[in-house]
Amino acid sequence: MTDQTMTIRQMCEDFDVTPRTLRFYEAKELLFPQREGQKRLYGKRDRARLKLILRGKRFGFSLEEIRQLLDLYYMNDSQATQLRETYVLAEKHLADMKAQRAELDEAIAELQTQMDWGRSRLAQIDPQQAKAS
Amino acid sequence: MTDQTMTIRQMCEDFDVTPRTLRFYEAKELLFPQREGQKRLYGKRDRARLKLILRGKRFGFSLEEIRQLLDLYYMNDSQATQLRETYVLAEKHLADMKAQRAELDEAIAELQTQMDWGRSRLAQIDPQQAKAS
DNA sequence: CGTCACGTTTACGTACACGTCATCTTTTCT
DNA sequence: AGAAAAGATGACGTGTACGTAAACGTGACG
């Protein structure tokens, strides 16, 4: 684990995942760490990719969708022919995320309304412990 | 399907789910439609609950988490003892959603940056078809 | 009266995202 | 050197969220 690369353990601790998960992502071609003999060595690129993978998961994208999106972030010059295609895909995902944000805002507002109601109910029942928002 | 109630088909069309899904949610105690003989009849309450279920799913909550959250929205007076407990749970979910929104904002910003870069690349390669944002 | 369309239950099947052994090298510590 | 720790591969298991097929009931329609 010279230089900028790290072992699987280190990665697991940094990102709070298991070795199994990292090997699984590799099998699904979302990560491709270098090998030093048998051992996997994760570099800067892998860390950046993993960050995006985990983020994508939190937003409900499947690993397969994420795999395709990673192409946008790690496009090289020789893949210029696929650039437009990838760009269109990215537009869809961006629209998805914006829609999700709008819905999320609405959901937050509604839940907060419910909680205001709940808090007033609590205040009636149990006046001494009422909290502020 | 008198009055304010509707059949399973109608529900499926309105919410774009399958009958299997609705029965599954019922088995998991997220929905409890009335019965007219054998047949399920979905009322206003069920529709509101289903809306929340589908929303929760889009935000990455499991059905079990959603089931617990539904208690907040459909709390009745006799469950006042559980109100505080439910309130605390709701606070966690609200915090979750706010964190998710923050991350989502970041992700949107980053993706947009990437797309700006991609668009400029496209413009170089293929000047006539360049689009605006 | 038959035959659909719609609904029900029960049961098995499936895709996804890993968890959990078992077994085997390869390092690393003492 | 010997044991423990870390890493690898392969295979099978697991939880979630349904899909799908079989077998049956039941009201509506030509």
Side-chain angles (χ1 to χ4, degrees):
Chain A
M1 59 184 192
T2 53
D3 204 19
Q4 310 286 14
T5 70
M6 54 208 277
T7 72
I8 200 168
R9 278 295 155 199
Q10 188 90 48
M11 286 290 278
C12 291
E13 284 165 18
D14 285 13
F15 289 95
D16 193 34
V17 295
T18 68
R20 177 71 176 95
T21 299
L22 293 182
R23 297 192 192 105
F24 183 75
Y25 291 167
E26 188 176 347
K28 290 299 179 78
E29 298 182 80
L30 280 88
L31 291 177
F32 2 82
Q34 298 162 27
R35 294 297 181 107
E36 179 184 295
Q38 278 269 77
K39 300 191 174 175
R40 291 168 174 82
L41 287 180
Y42 296 87
K44 189 164 167 289
R45 191 182 87 268
D46 298 301
R47 286 192 291 278
R49 290 179 74 96
L50 183 53
K51 184 183 170 189
L52 291 174
I53 293 166
L54 298 178
R55 168 185 287 171
K57 286 202 58 186
R58 280 191 296 277
F59 298 150
F61 296 122
S62 74
L63 293 184
E64 175 54 24
E65 288 173 311
I66 292 167
R67 194 187 61 71
Q68 295 181 44
L69 266 188
L70 284 172
D71 294 346
L72 177 73
Y73 287 88
Y74 295 91
M75 180 91 54
N76 63 45
D77 286 19
S78 66
Q79 290 162 330
T81 42
Q82 293 188 339
L83 183 57
R84 177 163 295 281
E85 196 176 321
T86 304
Y87 185 83
V88 170
L89 180 65
E91 276 183 321
K92 287 206 219 317
H93 278 277
L94 183 58
D96 268 20
M97 289 197 293
K98 285 185 176 179
Q100 202 172 336
R101 182 173 54 183
E103 246 197 309
L104 190 49
D105 283 341
E106 194 193 340
I108 286 173
E110 281 185 32
L111 182 51
Q112 227 146 21
T113 299
Q114 280 303 122
M115 290 181 68
D116 288 346
W117 175 82
R119 194 164 39 249
S120 78
R121 287 285 316 275
L122 277 173
Q124 282 186 308
I125 295 162
D126 195 7
Q128 38 277 359
Q129 297 195 41
K131 280 194 225 166
S133 172
Chain B
M1 59 184 196
T2 53
D3 205 19
Q4 311 286 15
T5 69
M6 54 208 278
T7 72
I8 201 168
R9 279 294 157 200
Q10 187 92 47
M11 286 291 279
C12 292
E13 283 165 20
D14 284 14
F15 290 95
D16 193 32
V17 294
T18 68
R20 178 68 176 96
T21 299
L22 293 182
R23 297 192 192 106
F24 184 75
Y25 291 166
E26 188 176 346
K28 290 299 179 77
E29 298 182 77
L30 280 88
L31 291 177
F32 0 83
Q34 299 162 25
R35 294 298 181 107
E36 179 183 295
Q38 278 269 77
K39 300 188 175 177
R40 291 167 173 83
L41 287 181
Y42 297 87
K44 189 164 166 290
R45 191 184 85 267
D46 298 301
R47 285 192 293 278
R49 291 179 74 97
L50 182 53
K51 184 184 169 187
L52 291 174
I53 292 167
L54 298 178
R55 168 184 288 170
K57 285 202 58 187
R58 280 192 296 275
F59 298 149
F61 297 122
S62 72
L63 293 184
E64 175 53 25
E65 289 174 310
I66 293 167
R67 195 187 60 72
Q68 295 181 44
L69 266 187
L70 284 171
D71 294 346
L72 177 72
Y73 287 89
Y74 295 91
M75 179 91 55
N76 62 47
D77 286 19
S78 65
Q79 290 161 331
T81 44
Q82 293 188 339
L83 184 57
R84 179 164 294 280
E85 195 176 322
T86 304
Y87 186 82
V88 170
L89 180 65
E91 275 183 323
K92 287 206 219 318
H93 278 277
L94 183 58
D96 268 20
M97 288 197 294
K98 284 184 176 178
Q100 200 172 338
R101 182 172 56 182
E103 246 198 309
L104 190 50
D105 283 342
E106 195 192 340
I108 287 173
E110 282 185 31
L111 182 52
Q112 226 146 23
T113 299
Q114 280 303 122
M115 289 180 69
D116 288 346
W117 175 84
R119 195 164 39 248
S120 78
R121 290 284 317 276
L122 277 174
Q124 282 186 307
I125 295 162
D126 194 8
Q128 39 277 358
Q129 296 196 40
K131 281 194 226 166
S133 172

